[in-house]
Amino acid sequence: MTDLAIELPGLSLKNPIMPASGCFGFGREYSEFYDLSKLGAVIMKAATGSERFGNPTPRVAETASGMLNAIGLQNPGVNKIIESEVPFLSQFDTNIIANIAGSTLEEYEEVARAFNKTDKVHALELNISCPNVKDGGIQFGTNPSMAARVTEAVKKASNLPVYVKLSPNVTDIMQMAKAVEAAGADGLSMINTITGMQIHLPSRRPLIANKTGGLSGPAIKPVAIRMIYEVRQQVNIPIIGMGGIQNAEDVLEFLLAGASAVAVGTANFQNPFICSEIIDELPSVLSNYDFNSVQEAVGKGIIS
Amino acid sequence: MIKKEQMKIVSSRAIAKDTYEMVLENHFISEKAVPGQFLHIQIGTHTLRRPISIANCNKERNEITILFKINGVGTSELATYQAGEFLDVLGPLGNGFKAEDEPQSTILLVGGGIGVPPLYYLGKTLKEKGINIVSILGFQQKENVFYEQQFQGLGETIIVTDNGSYGYKGYVTDVLDQVGLFDCYYSCGPIPMLKALTTKLEGKRGFISLEERMGCGVGACFACVLPTKDGTGYRKICKDGPVFHAEEVTI
Ligand SMILES: Cc1cc2nc3c(=O)[nH]c(=O)nc-3n(C[C@H](O)[C@H](O)[C@H](O)COP(=O)(O)OP(=O)(O)OC[C@H]3O[C@@H](n4cnc5c(N)ncnc54)[C@H](O)[C@@H]3O)c2cc1C
Ligand SMILES: Cc1cc2nc3c(=O)[nH]c(=O)nc-3n(C[C@H](O)[C@H](O)[C@H](O)COP(=O)(O)O)c2cc1C
Ligand code: FES
């Protein structure tokens, strides 16, 4: 039997597969397709202090091997999420990871504190990397000392393990990773989307109303693999890897690069069953490549 | 309930310039489909599915008809699919026209271009319930006109074209005064048309079907939202819509 289980700070995962933040809502829609108890964890859509309506539409565009999105962190606000979404998700036998975002340090602290009070959330994913909101957010994700400050503040505001979600839109991702590790991060989550743009020929205007959007999907997988590979060698905390995963072979590639678990985002839109199917396929893919467990494959692709 | 289903292509044919009619066979989707709902169709290996309205449904034959216009890479690839091939589809999606919204005697259908398709299944369903149907269909020009005969089978049908190459010259709103009394209108088409129409018919009971670029199609990604008219909230076109009360949302 191939062992899919993996232990991470705060998370006892039955398998390393979880839907990525923003691509699975709060689980309701996809729970109609399969039993969410099958998942290692669910990462919820970003939560902010109060309700956000997000950006104007169009918010998405298709690209070669991927898509751009500029949703703009639309969400009903942390209190509403705790009141009506967390109870729904907690009926499933899986881990709940809350993705938290904000415009100010205080907002991040407020959201972290609120999730800390419920006993149903297992970990926080600190979103310092959303490229789609202008006020704050991204600043925390591109400046190492700001990233360290927000990590420290969120660690103080809650007892939950904190996975800091890194932005690929930086010159030196290793510096960012080291800064948040030193600030007390329990793990890393990488990568968020890469800022891009598409111009609509008939209107001669950027197609996305926000002008720029975040690129996701298979197009960004090589960037994610490279960044995880580099960061794995520089930090000791575990990495949840993501970016363009479409099948179990992709998952193995992320494990080899140094991720201990993975999140699947954009692929849910094409195939609502994708996480479930990957979980079914993973044992045979691991054994095809001579691994008896997920743990055994982590970091095995790194040449020192 | 929504399912991911394989739909067998029964037939595919051009019915107007760049416009195709495709008949698809699937038991689950045809059994569940109500007017106003749509399918989210996987075309080749495209990252995103394409939303296309259900234009007709034959529950005895397990058939769904879609009508689509070539509008880019996905729809032009869809036009190359042949009878006998299968399409991977999520459906039926969205909230269609609700039974409790149904009027008693006469309704007006107003369609613009590729907004015409969902109105056909609606009109057919309402006619079967004994309701009088009047249709106004607007197209760019003569080569774009489709389903005129099918709509005539439902009742009085007025065709308009932008350049007057077929039917009346002008926009759908120009011929509104030619139709008699109606209890309710249903419309689908380009935003400028819907704006003009809802303004002109303000105060009348009406329902509009809207389009937006979509990600998931099931309500999870927040790609397709629009604000409510009272400014206090939002609706997801894919899950709460695509059909809305004309007074409900801001277009
Ligand atoms: C609820 C709904 C019902 C629809 N019903 C029909 C129908 O019955 N017949 C028909 O011909 N068309 C219909 N459309 C429009 C149809 O979805 C687009 O024409 C189609 O997605 C274009 O794809 P493409 O690859 O050819 O264009 P491209 O421009 O190459 O597509 C790029 C991306 O933009 C999206 N996109 C482009 N135009 C539109 C649009 N107008 N609306 C939504 N997404 C768009 C595509 O889905 C794709 O993700 C409907 C749209 C919606 C939202
Ligand atoms: C529509 C959409 C919405 C997203 N929303 C969020 C979000 O709210 N918070 C966040 O941290 N990441 C968000 N992301 C980024 C994803 O979680 C993920 O990091 C990224 O898409 C790469 O993975 P993928 O290629 O598998 O999609 C979003 C991505 C998409 C496509
Ligand atoms: S398309 Fe994802 S919420 Fe509507």
Side-chain angles (χ1 to χ4, degrees):
Chain A
M1 260 291 285
T2 318
D3 185 7
L4 296 186
I6 195 120
E7 292 293 325
L8 298 181
L11 303 168
S12 254
L13 305 175
K14 64 183 96 166
N15 63 63
I17 310 298
M18 51 190 104
S21 181
C23 301
F24 209 72
F26 300 97
R28 280 184 197 276
E29 291 76 18
Y30 292 100
S31 73
E32 291 179 26
F33 290 98
Y34 62 94
D35 182 359
L36 304 187
S37 298
K38 194 169 175 183
L39 297 166
V42 172
I43 311 180
M44 295 191 289
K45 172 76 190 158
T48 52
S50 41
E51 181 171 23
R52 286 212 197 185
F53 289 113
N55 291 324
T57 56
R59 294 178 171 185
V60 293
E62 188 177 79
T63 66
S65 298
M67 66 177 282
L68 292 169
N69 91 81
I71 307 296
L73 296 182
Q74 176 158 19
N75 78 97
V78 66
N79 293 330
K80 196 83 177 285
I81 292 171
I82 290 172
E83 198 182 292
S84 41
E85 305 297 346
V86 173
F88 173 79
L89 264 180
S90 62
Q91 67 178 295
F92 299 101
D93 175 24
T94 188
N95 293 278
I96 303 177
I97 304 177
N99 182 279
I100 70 172
S103 311
T104 61
L105 213 57
E106 293 70 35
E107 190 177 3
Y108 277 105
E109 287 170 336
E110 177 197 340
V111 180
R113 234 177 265 126
F115 279 123
N116 191 43
K117 277 196 221 125
T118 73
D119 53 356
K120 299 192 171 78
V121 168
H122 301 86
L124 299 178
E125 182 178 52
L126 178 54
N127 180 0
I128 54 167
S129 47
C130 182
N132 300 325
V133 281
K134 284 178 197 71
D135 46 346
I138 190 78
Q139 257 165 273
F140 293 111
T142 51
N143 175 326
S145 58
M146 293 278 279
R149 269 181 65 196
V150 69
T151 306
E152 249 165 53
V154 165
K155 278 297 289 179
K156 273 203 201 104
S158 97
N159 301 315
L160 293 166
V162 175
Y163 292 79
V164 180
K165 188 159 179 179
L166 300 182
S167 169
N169 302 308
V170 293
T171 328
D172 186 352
I173 190 119
M174 288 183 279
Q175 203 190 353
M176 295 296 301
K178 282 191 266 184
V180 301
E181 180 182 42
D186 298 279
L188 299 172
S189 176
M190 54 194 286
I191 59 177
N192 210 320
T193 55
I194 303 176
T195 308
M197 184 187 274
Q198 190 177 101
I199 294 184
H200 184 237
L201 302 186
S203 66
R204 309 177 185 181
R205 298 273 184 285
L207 197 151
I208 300 253
N210 185 52
K211 298 190 190 104
T212 60
L215 182 63
S216 64
I220 71 168
K221 200 186 85 180
V223 179
I225 296 288
R226 185 269 290 178
M227 289 185 158
I228 292 166
Y229 186 97
E230 286 177 353
V231 166
R232 176 69 286 153
Q233 298 168 77
Q234 300 285 328
V235 300
N236 293 309
I237 49 178
I239 299 171
I240 300 173
M242 68 204 70
I245 293 175
Q246 288 190 298
N247 52 46
E249 282 82 3
D250 291 341
V251 174
L252 177 57
E253 196 179 340
F254 274 79
L255 297 176
L256 294 175
S260 300
V262 298
V264 181
T266 305
N268 289 286
F269 302 159
Q270 205 179 73
N271 179 4
F273 294 99
I274 191 71
C275 290
S276 169
E277 288 176 9
I278 289 177
I279 292 166
D280 292 339
E281 287 159 15
L282 193 56
S284 65
V285 169
L286 286 169
S287 68
N288 284 348
Y289 290 92
D290 299 325
F291 292 107
N292 294 313
S293 70
V294 166
Q295 185 61 58
E296 212 179 279
V298 175
K300 283 291 161 13
I302 299 173
I303 306 167
S304 49
Chain B
M1 191 162 112
I2 300 165
K3 279 197 181 178
K4 179 170 172 287
E5 292 283 296
Q6 296 294 316
M7 297 188 85
K8 186 177 182 184
I9 301 173
V10 177
S11 65
S12 176
R13 63 181 184 113
I15 52 168
K17 183 170 184 281
D18 295 337
T19 310
Y20 291 78
E21 176 195 70
M22 205 178 247
V23 179
L24 305 168
E25 190 188 286
N26 178 278
H27 177 71
F28 174 80
I29 293 181
S30 61
E31 182 186 278
K32 292 281 186 265
V34 297
Q37 289 188 303
F38 65 99
L39 306 176
H40 214 20
I41 304 179
Q42 181 63 40
I43 302 169
T45 58
H46 284 280
T47 303
L48 297 177
R49 291 171 176 267
R50 301 306 196 254
I52 302 286
S53 306
I54 294 173
N56 199 2
C57 175
N58 183 328
K59 299 199 190 269
E60 286 85 58
R61 296 171 59 111
N62 296 330
E63 285 175 358
I64 294 272
T65 302
I66 57 170
L67 306 174
F68 64 93
K69 187 169 178 193
I70 293 183
N71 188 26
V73 287
T75 42
S76 54
E77 200 173 326
L78 185 59
T80 67
Y81 279 71
Q82 307 284 323
E85 291 186 88
F86 285 84
L87 285 176
D88 178 319
V89 167
L90 288 185
L93 297 186
N95 255 320
F97 301 95
K98 296 168 207 72
E100 64 267 27
D101 297 332
E102 279 171 22
Q104 295 308 307
S105 74
T106 300
I107 61 130
L108 174 66
L109 303 176
V110 186
I114 207 61
V116 167
L119 299 178
Y120 182 69
Y121 183 29
L122 174 69
K124 196 186 89 170
T125 309
L126 293 179
K127 186 184 158 77
E128 282 163 7
K129 297 192 168 143
I131 293 163
N132 285 324
I133 317 286
V134 180
S135 308
I136 303 177
L137 310 178
F139 298 92
Q140 271 173 340
Q141 50 188 324
K142 189 176 176 198
E143 300 95 274
N144 303 112
V145 177
F146 61 87
Y147 262 46
E148 181 185 10
Q149 271 169 14
Q150 282 86 339
F151 277 87
Q152 268 165 356
L154 303 177
E156 181 192 351
T157 300
I158 303 172
I159 307 280
V160 299
T161 51
D162 294 359
N163 62 3
S165 51
Y166 194 82
Y168 290 88
K169 177 175 165 29
Y171 298 122
V172 292
T173 41
D174 297 335
V175 295
L176 279 175
D177 43 11
Q178 294 190 27
V179 300
L181 293 176
F182 56 91
D183 312 306
C184 183
Y185 70 93
Y186 296 92
S187 184
C188 183
I191 293 289
M193 181 197 103
L194 292 175
K195 273 190 177 151
L197 186 77
T198 51
T199 310
K200 207 151 175 185
L201 296 180
E202 209 180 327
K204 269 268 176 203
R205 224 169 105 73
F207 294 87
I208 52 175
S209 182
L210 300 173
E211 290 184 3
E212 186 49 83
R213 287 182 184 245
M214 291 184 175
C216 66
V218 298
C221 76
F222 292 91
C224 67
V225 302
L226 82 172
T228 52
K229 216 160 218 172
D230 61 13
T232 62
Y234 64 90
R235 295 282 183 275
K236 292 172 188 165
I237 292 181
C238 68
K239 193 179 182 182
D240 305 319
V243 179
F244 296 96
H245 194 287
E247 304 281 295
E248 185 180 355
V249 288
T250 310
I251 51 171

